[in-house]
């Protein structure tokens, strides 16, 4: 079993839909990152969370430390949101462990 | 946000040659840089962690003599793939963080193809 599990692995949505991507982890962490990787490979850091909830534009990230679970929500999805979304957890030694990613395709 | 660049963005080389990849933090001092490798449709895998001015710490299974890492300044780290072979073909990504160690900023990656 991977230390970081994401679901779903693949997701297709229509423009405007509300999207949720889930991440569960099994180890103690100091923080959790949500990353976005575009087809060209470049990675953008969306959020770093250690508790509660953060919002940036149409993106919302939440984390429940007790349940070892985080969600990434995208409101009013758009084709430009199509990418791979990766959850990564940071341990106390600051090492990141990555989930396998969720491939999102938003269609018109 | 902070910017991290990588050079080159892609490289094709013959088997047996060495390839150097540079990772630069453009607008902050990167006390720690991380090197990752990603094979198609797989997660990023940490290869090594380097702190400025000290030797890199390699992950289990990563050959330090094959993947030479140098972090000589607070804005530059290099990864040299020595005597590259086709199985070294991959996407190599660096990330950098500064003081205090919080968000990691990722470079755009370098795609290596060894023929």
């Amino acid at each position: 079993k991977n230390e970081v599990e994401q679901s779903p692995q693949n997701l297709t949505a229509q423009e405007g839909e509300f999207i949720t991507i889930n991440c569960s982890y099994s180890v103690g962490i100091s923080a959790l990152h949500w990353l976005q990787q575009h087809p060209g490979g470049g990675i953008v850091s969306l959020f770093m969370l250690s508790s509660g909830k953060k919002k940036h534009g149409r993106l919302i990230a939440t984390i429940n430390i007790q349940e070892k679970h985080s969600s990434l929500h995208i409101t009013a999805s758009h084709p430009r949101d199509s990418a791979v979304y990766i959850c990564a957890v940071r341990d106390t030694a600051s090492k990141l462990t990555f989930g396998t990613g969720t491939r999102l395709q938003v269609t018109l | 946000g902070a910017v991290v660049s990588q050079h080159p963005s892609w490289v094709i080389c013959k088997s047996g040659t060495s390839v150097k990849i540079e990772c630069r933090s453009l607008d902050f001092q990167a006390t720690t840089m991380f090197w990752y490798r990603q094979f198609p449709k797989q997660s990023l895998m940490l290869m090594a962690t380097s702190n400025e001015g000290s030797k890199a710490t390699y992950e289990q299974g990563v050959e330090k003599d094959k993947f030479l890492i140098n972090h000589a300044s607070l804005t530059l780290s290099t990864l040299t793939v020595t005597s590259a072979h086709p199985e070294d073909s991959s996407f190599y990504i660096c990330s950098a963080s500064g003081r205090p160690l919080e968000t990691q900023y990722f470079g755009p990656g370098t795609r290596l193809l060894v023929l």
Side-chain angles (χ1 to χ4, degrees):
Chain A
K1 189 180 190 305
N2 292 331
E3 293 179 340
V4 183
E5 298 268 358
Q6 282 185 240
S7 65
Q9 289 187 353
N10 295 284
L11 181 57
T12 301
Q14 283 200 314
E15 184 178 13
E17 283 186 20
F18 180 83
I19 288 163
T20 296
I21 300 170
N22 295 298
C23 175
S24 297
Y25 53 92
S26 57
V27 295
I29 68 169
S30 62
L32 182 144
H33 295 253
W34 280 103
L35 309 170
Q36 180 191 54
Q37 186 172 30
H38 281 282
I43 292 177
V44 174
S45 181
L46 299 175
F47 294 104
M48 185 185 71
L49 293 164
S50 53
S51 65
K53 174 179 172 178
K54 285 191 177 180
K55 184 176 189 294
H56 185 254
R58 295 180 293 108
L59 302 178
I60 302 166
T62 63
I63 188 168
N64 184 317
I65 297 293
Q66 286 73 32
E67 294 185 5
K68 295 187 175 178
H69 180 268
S70 175
S71 292
L72 175 69
H73 306 284
I74 305 175
T75 61
S77 60
H78 189 276
R80 64 175 174 266
D81 297 326
S82 299
V84 176
Y85 291 85
I86 303 169
C87 169
V89 298
R90 194 176 87 203
D91 64 17
T92 51
S94 299
K95 176 180 164 182
L96 288 182
T97 302
F98 296 84
T100 52
T102 295
R103 191 171 299 273
L104 171 66
Q105 180 74 39
V106 181
T107 59
L108 292 169
Chain B
V3 178
V4 174
S5 70
Q6 273 184 248
H7 178 80
S9 55
W10 60 270
V11 59
I12 301 173
C13 69
K14 291 182 180 178
S15 186
T17 59
S18 292
V19 176
K20 181 186 279 189
I21 302 169
E22 291 186 349
C23 176
R24 291 182 187 272
S25 59
L26 298 183
D27 53 2
F28 69 103
Q29 293 186 329
T31 51
T32 304
M33 286 186 169
F34 304 85
W35 286 96
Y36 301 92
R37 183 166 53 181
Q38 185 180 35
F39 292 106
K41 306 226 169 163
Q42 292 188 23
S43 288
L44 282 78
M45 295 295 295
L46 179 66
M47 299 174 68
T49 303
S50 74
N51 293 295
E52 184 264 337
S54 59
K55 288 185 179 178
T57 303
Y58 290 80
E59 294 300 300
Q60 195 171 15
V62 178
E63 298 174 57
K64 63 180 182 185
D65 294 330
K66 179 165 183 66
F67 299 99
L68 301 177
I69 291 172
N70 183 286
H71 189 168
S73 77
L74 284 171
T75 59
L76 174 65
S77 176
T78 59
L79 166 68
T80 301
V81 183
T82 62
S83 187
H85 288 280
E87 58 265 29
D88 299 323
S89 300
S90 187
F91 190 57
Y92 292 87
I93 306 171
C94 73
S95 71
S97 62
R99 292 190 191 96
L101 187 66
E102 288 198 355
T103 298
Q104 288 186 30
Y105 298 96
F106 288 83
T110 296
R111 205 164 292 281
L112 171 63
L113 177 61
V114 184
L115 302 175

